[in-house]
Amino acid sequence: MRLLFLGDVVGRPGRSVVSRLLPGLRSAWQLDCVVVNGENAAHGFGITESIYENLLAAGADVVTLGNHTFDQREALVFIERQPRLLRPVNFPAGTPGRGATIIEAKNGARVLVVNVMGRLFMDALDDPFAAMARTIGECPLREGCDAILVDMHAEATSEKQALAHFLDGRVSVVVGTHTHVPTADVRLLPGGTAYQSDAGMCGDYQSVLGMQPDESIRRFVEKTPGSRLEVATGEGTLSGLAVEIDDATGLAVKVAAVRLGPHLAEARPAFWEEAAA
Ligand SMILES: [Fe+2]
Ligand SMILES: [Fe+2]
């Protein structure tokens, strides 16, 4: 099974590069399942229902979120009627929406997708480790589903790596989001879980995390109230993780970074490019 994950889509540059490239990648790489983090898709803050639907139309099967889940207040309502839109599973009990879902991939496999948020340098939420143990306990790999992807939305690489090792061999992929910067630690863990501390963002990298630098610089230099952060307007780069999963075990066998766009060194999964050539 071939799975592609794309990191935080930031504003229009992010949405544009996803809608421009993802349909072609879905067919060229014969993808079975695509998961996209959309927490910054609406002007950098949250997601609207029409943006969510456009991400699905571009080829996403599931859209995950994070700390910006409800920045667009309409998400409080439409998240309830969109089963493929996930907010962190460890948000407090009673929060609208869901943190996990099972979808049928193109190859017929049942894929459990989970969005979970870290607590280091972030909001105080329920324990992400306990939440993950409970979630995969209810739907274990090879029993309840054929593959499991976990989007770990967190600031600290230590917390992300600890969660990944905690889940190693029990899920197919743990991929980090939230920092908007892709890390160079793409690898298979000993138990067969594919891992990357952060997938990076889909957005304009000539920026501060996808936003125009001026206001960001000002906030570091001055301690006075300023203006709103505005999304950078240059061309977006697509950034994410490509994972090939063994159909029998549900564990990862190949993993590679994906970076396509003007500002970062290009990265493509050679194992799919060669098969397509
Ligand atoms: Fe983000
Ligand atoms: Fe975030």
Side-chain angles (χ1 to χ4, degrees):
M1 183 174 105
R2 295 176 170 196
L3 190 150
L4 178 69
F5 179 84
L6 298 178
D8 308 38
V9 175
V10 182
R12 185 177 298 278
R15 302 197 309 269
S16 298
V17 71
V18 170
S19 53
R20 190 162 48 84
L21 296 186
L22 184 55
L25 295 178
R26 256 209 101 119
S27 57
W29 292 345
Q30 296 177 37
L31 299 174
D32 295 302
C33 180
V34 176
V35 179
V36 178
N37 186 299
E39 73 147 4
N40 309 105
H43 320 294
F45 299 94
I47 190 166
T48 65
E49 191 164 32
S50 64
I51 288 173
Y52 160 77
E53 284 169 346
N54 286 340
L55 289 173
L56 293 197
D61 295 297
V62 176
V63 174
T64 53
L65 295 166
N67 53 304
H68 290 292
T69 293
F70 297 120
D71 284 0
Q72 304 295 322
R73 301 286 287 274
E74 65 171 280
L76 286 163
V77 176
F78 76 76
I79 200 169
E80 292 283 1
R81 61 173 174 253
Q82 298 292 0
R84 290 165 178 255
L85 181 61
L86 303 181
R87 47 82 173 159
V89 72
N90 52 334
F91 272 9
T95 303
R98 75 221 81 220
T101 193
I102 299 179
I103 60 130
E104 189 181 321
K106 189 160 168 280
N107 64 339
R110 299 159 301 161
V111 182
L112 173 66
V113 181
V114 191
N115 189 197
V116 64
M117 209 168 115
R119 295 191 292 188
L120 283 184
F121 316 117
M122 303 191 85
D123 292 342
L125 295 172
D126 293 350
D127 176 0
F129 292 79
M132 281 311 311
R134 197 178 321 117
T135 304
I136 63 171
E138 287 163 2
C139 184
L141 190 60
R142 292 182 294 274
E143 294 169 41
C145 58
D146 304 306
I148 302 177
L149 177 136
V150 180
D151 171 356
M152 169 57 157
H153 196 79
E155 190 76 52
T157 47
S158 59
E159 192 177 20
K160 291 170 166 177
Q161 292 185 13
L163 186 87
H165 283 284
F166 177 71
L167 297 174
D168 185 20
R170 298 192 283 170
V171 307
S172 319
V173 189
V174 175
V175 59
T177 55
H178 176 70
T179 73
H180 294 199
V181 178
T183 57
D185 61 345
V186 172
R187 64 192 188 276
L188 294 175
L189 299 179
T193 296
Y195 177 70
Q196 183 180 19
S197 292
D198 206 291
M201 68 170 172
C202 298
D204 177 7
Y205 277 83
Q206 296 294 32
S207 68
V208 177
L209 311 186
M211 313 305 277
Q212 294 176 20
D214 288 0
E215 173 60 15
S216 178
I217 295 167
R218 201 205 58 75
R219 290 181 185 193
F220 282 105
V221 174
E222 298 169 24
K223 269 319 203 199
T224 49
S227 50
R228 198 180 147 89
L229 290 166
E230 298 287 345
V231 172
T233 55
E235 189 181 337
T237 291
L238 194 89
S239 190
L241 189 67
V243 187
E244 184 147 325
I245 295 165
D246 181 81
D247 293 337
T249 64
L251 294 169
V253 286
K254 288 171 185 161
V255 61
V258 175
R259 294 185 303 270
L260 302 170
H263 299 130
L264 301 180
E266 185 170 288
R268 294 169 173 273
F271 45 86
W272 293 343
E273 293 267 308
E274 282 156 17

